[in-house]
Amino acid sequence: MSDLPIRYSRPLRKRLLKLGKMKTTQQKLNLFKGLTSADFVPQPPAVAEFSTGEVMGNSADRLCAALGVSRADQDAFAKRSHEAARDATQAGFFKEELVRARFPLCVAV
């Protein structure tokens, strides 16, 4: 995902979903009774996908098993994809999007 979801506590999310159904200001304010200050703090992004709780590798393995896609098929697809990206880059298709970056050589001690 290029736009990470900003996640809040479950109690706050549940109340926010009900907010649109509240008619008066008092009803809206009462909706937030019982929340703590911690409920309003955004939760840091996780490695797992927000909606499923799965990490990408597990999700891919499960999907490939269900669809009968072998590891060799996955590798061949990845190779074709990288080769197409390389060819498009060499042909100048991404000239406006790519910026050369140079990093000093790092040596582990």
Side-chain angles (χ1 to χ4, degrees):
M1 281 186 255
S2 59
D3 189 11
L4 291 174
I6 298 173
R7 187 173 177 174
Y8 289 90
S9 70
R10 182 175 300 279
L12 179 59
R13 291 194 318 261
K14 289 175 103 174
R15 285 170 171 87
L16 288 173
L17 289 172
K18 293 178 183 178
L19 190 60
K21 297 177 183 175
M22 302 297 112
K23 304 281 186 221
T24 67
T25 303
Q26 190 60 48
Q27 286 176 322
K28 292 176 183 180
L29 290 173
N30 286 339
L31 199 56
F32 294 98
K33 282 184 180 176
L35 291 176
T36 67
S37 58
D39 290 322
F40 292 92
V41 177
Q43 298 171 350
V47 174
E49 211 293 308
F50 174 71
S51 61
T52 64
E54 276 187 314
V55 295
M56 187 182 291
N58 291 352
S59 180
D61 288 345
R62 185 179 46 75
L63 186 60
C64 287
L67 298 176
V69 178
S70 72
R71 180 61 200 219
D73 291 339
Q74 294 174 59
D75 290 343
F77 182 89
K79 184 176 184 279
R80 281 194 313 273
S81 177
H82 285 279
E83 289 169 346
R86 178 202 60 213
D87 295 345
T89 301
Q90 289 174 347
F93 285 105
F94 301 120
K95 187 169 43 174
E96 299 298 319
E97 288 85 6
L98 298 177
V99 177
R100 183 173 298 278
R102 296 190 189 275
F103 299 94
L105 180 62
C106 296
V107 179
V109 178

